[in-house]
Amino acid sequence: MSHSQNRRTGPLSSSTAGAPGYIWALVGALALIELVLTAADAGWVGDPRWRTMALLLGAFWPPLLAPGAGELYPLQREAMFLTHAFLHANFLHMVMNGVILLSLGKVIGEKVGAVRTYLLFGASAVAGGAAFGLISMSSGPMIGASGAAFGFLGIWNAWDFQRRKALGLSLRPILSMVLGLAIANLALFVFLQGGLAWEAHLGGYLMGWAAAFTFARLR
């Protein structure tokens, strides 16, 4: 982040101290869902089976993409492309995604507004689900807002790419960022013994780049 000298025009800068309310509302919704499920797991509220039920109803299930696959409710096949982003494996999983959404959402929201920020979140989540369904060989459920978080990372990198190209600056920092993200995903995939949905990260990240050239272009 060596561009603080261009704070008025640089896409990576923000003139506000914190994330806007609508970003907090989004992350708050993710946190509330996970808090309720965590409390249910501990037997403090509701039923310990709530998390299992949430996974059955809201996770992204690749087998549902097969022709004739049975759905638990109408349009589950379509809904899971978005609902999976509101479920997490545990509170730490939610916090990791929430931190990215809050920190980058502040910049993104300031540049394109609430509606397009929400649209980016939804489109990146859908793209993450689509990439997971197309690439992954897993038949198990996929959950988490990491596809959407990587969409935020993608548009952040794409805006910097556009700015650097327009000013004739080196694109090496962008390439280094992309390489770093790829290495981090590989390392986490190995560390988690295949438990990382890198396909969703890729789909969300590419959607972030696409958004930067379409509905979320900088003025």
Side-chain angles (χ1 to χ4, degrees):
M1 318 311 172
S2 58
H3 319 299
S4 59
Q5 72 277 11
N6 194 22
R7 292 188 61 85
R8 293 181 60 190
T9 59
L12 306 187
S13 64
S14 173
S15 61
T16 58
Y22 53 85
I23 297 296
W24 278 106
L26 176 62
V27 176
L30 302 179
L32 179 60
I33 292 170
E34 181 53 40
L35 283 171
V36 170
L37 294 179
T38 298
D41 290 341
W44 298 337
V45 299
D47 192 310
R49 294 173 295 181
W50 279 5
R51 188 177 295 275
T52 299
M53 293 169 60
L55 289 174
L56 288 172
L57 297 174
F60 187 94
W61 293 92
L64 283 180
L65 298 176
E71 298 176 298
L72 296 179
Y73 58 89
L75 299 180
Q76 181 183 8
R77 182 181 295 106
E78 292 76 18
M80 69 180 185
F81 280 86
L82 182 60
T83 56
H84 76 271
F86 290 86
L87 299 174
H88 290 86
N90 48 53
F91 196 73
L92 177 60
H93 186 203
M94 185 280 302
V95 168
M96 291 172 64
N97 287 327
V99 167
I100 297 175
L101 294 172
L102 283 171
S103 57
L104 295 184
K106 175 178 66 174
V107 177
I108 294 168
E110 187 175 275
K111 303 302 181 185
V112 299
V115 172
R116 284 184 286 180
T117 301
Y118 278 157
L119 181 58
L120 174 64
F121 177 91
S124 298
V126 169
F132 187 82
L134 286 171
I135 303 172
S136 178
M137 302 301 292
S138 173
S139 60
M142 185 271 288
I143 55 175
S146 55
F150 268 78
F152 279 31
L153 282 168
I155 197 170
W156 184 57
N157 289 163
W159 283 343
D160 196 27
F161 169 84
Q162 292 171 335
R163 186 182 72 91
R164 286 179 166 276
K165 188 174 181 182
L167 296 176
L169 300 175
S170 171
L171 299 179
R172 182 169 295 180
I174 308 300
L175 298 176
S176 297
M177 173 67 77
V178 172
L179 180 60
L181 288 173
I183 292 174
N185 271 267
L186 177 60
L188 283 172
F189 183 81
V190 173
F191 178 76
L192 296 175
Q193 299 179 332
L196 181 79
W198 63 268
E199 303 91 344
H201 298 175
L202 175 62
Y205 187 76
L206 293 177
M207 176 54 71
W209 273 79
F213 290 90
T214 54
F215 66 85
R217 292 190 299 269
L218 285 180
R219 298 182 183 88

